[in-house]
Amino acid sequence: MARIYPLFSSSSGNCTYIGNGKSGILIDAGVSCKKICDALSANGLEAAGISGIFITHTHSDHVSGLKVLAKKLNIPIYAQRQNLSILMESDLVPESAQLQELDSDETVCGDFLVTHFETPHDTPASCGYKVICPDGKKLCICTDLGCVTQTVWDNLKGSDLVLLESNYDPYMLAHGPYPYQLQKRIASDHGHLSNSDCADTVHKLLQCSTEKFILGHLSQHNNTPITAENTVVGTLSDARRNRDYLLFVAKPEGEGMAVAF
């Protein structure tokens, strides 16, 4: 049985492991190589068993540790064409990097079948990932999106587990430390997903038989784990937690968090 380990999930850095103790894949590498390797070890995971690194987009909180990690592990880096160009032009990958362009087809990486789907974010190219495990179970990772488009919804629907962005509380954003223009960017359709928009999507997914959810990429300035959690639980008031659905909140550093699906 595969598990998902949100090793790091916040506006400061993101890296998620999918697999088991012997083999798996990484989504993003937004903290240092040392932190990622230490987190893998703390969770009983073997870095040598990682088959590839999939990049959602090139903001620093998703790629800051990529160059050193890819050189250390000597494994392929998968990304959209525009993002591969940015990674090379910005010296964010080693010269010896095995760069693999994502196309419209499914990518086989180790024991996993991976497809990407476009997400609306303020970067040249951004995507979420749908991962099918050896036992046929499907999970989706979808963060850094200002709204849930039809494309996003079509890929999330029918998943066994979804890690979905719950980035900010609108009141905290409006009354927080960020300048107005940054607030506008975050709240735009190409910014980040609010707690309430995340909750609405989770509610719809539950009606379509998805029962396991992880809230991720919480802002450390405009949100709290309990605020995000309470917003979703309140929206799901017609269902009973731990009976009809399971809900987890990813921490900035996973601290041993693992969810089976």
Side-chain angles (χ1 to χ4, degrees):
M1 176 183 293
R3 288 177 167 82
I4 179 171
Y5 297 76
L7 302 175
F8 301 90
S9 184
S10 76
S11 299
S12 298
N14 298 273
C15 181
T16 300
Y17 177 93
I18 301 166
N20 53 39
K22 298 296 183 182
S23 63
I25 60 173
L26 284 181
I27 308 294
D28 290 328
V31 299
S32 71
C33 174
K34 183 180 186 307
K35 281 189 172 184
I36 293 172
C37 290
D38 286 349
L40 290 168
S41 178
N43 283 279
L45 305 171
E46 296 183 5
I50 298 173
S51 300
I53 307 172
F54 290 79
I55 301 302
T56 59
H57 63 292
T58 57
H59 284 167
S60 62
D61 58 319
H62 294 262
V63 298
S64 62
L66 179 61
K67 184 175 183 178
V68 177
L69 185 66
K71 185 174 183 179
K72 177 182 177 68
L73 300 182
N74 191 30
I75 55 176
I77 298 169
Y78 298 86
Q80 295 158 286
R81 177 183 298 179
Q82 285 178 285
N83 286 336
L84 289 178
S85 296
I86 294 170
L87 291 172
M88 289 185 290
E89 292 167 2
S90 303
D91 193 29
L92 293 171
V93 291
E95 291 185 5
S96 60
Q98 305 172 50
L99 302 179
Q100 301 288 331
E101 179 186 340
L102 295 169
D103 54 28
S104 58
D105 297 326
E106 296 170 322
T107 298
V108 177
C109 185
D111 297 328
F112 301 90
L113 197 61
V114 184
T115 57
H116 75 287
F117 53 93
E118 302 288 337
T119 53
H121 194 48
D122 56 352
T123 184
S126 180
C127 69
Y129 287 104
K130 178 167 60 179
V131 181
I132 299 179
C133 299
D135 61 1
K137 294 290 184 66
K138 181 175 78 173
L139 74 87
C140 275
I141 293 182
C142 190
T143 66
D144 298 79
L145 68 164
C147 63
V148 177
T149 62
Q150 188 63 49
T151 295
V152 170
W153 171 253
D154 288 343
N155 281 275
L156 296 181
K157 185 173 61 176
S159 300
D160 295 287
L161 180 149
V162 171
L163 189 160
L164 185 63
E165 177 173 61
S166 191
N167 182 257
Y168 68 94
D169 173 77
Y171 181 87
M172 291 180 67
L173 177 64
H175 296 84
Y178 288 0
Y180 178 67
Q181 289 302 319
L182 181 54
Q183 292 180 27
K184 280 185 63 177
R185 183 184 75 78
I186 291 170
S188 74
D189 283 349
H190 288 82
H192 291 279
L193 207 63
S194 70
N195 291 342
S196 55
D197 286 339
C198 172
D200 289 343
T201 304
V202 168
H203 186 261
K204 293 175 183 176
L205 286 168
L206 181 58
Q207 294 175 324
C208 294
S209 301
T210 300
E211 298 178 349
K212 294 183 180 180
F213 304 95
I214 301 175
L215 309 183
H217 207 290
L218 275 65
S219 169
Q220 294 166 290
H221 298 287
N222 305 306
N223 209 355
T224 66
I226 193 65
T227 301
E229 183 176 7
N230 285 344
T231 301
V232 174
V233 171
T235 301
L236 302 182
S237 57
D238 54 345
R240 185 179 299 177
R241 188 175 184 178
N242 298 328
R243 185 195 68 179
D244 300 319
Y245 68 94
L246 296 177
L247 179 68
F248 308 88
V249 181
K251 300 177 181 179
E253 299 188 13
E255 301 174 12
M257 178 182 178
V259 181
F261 57 94

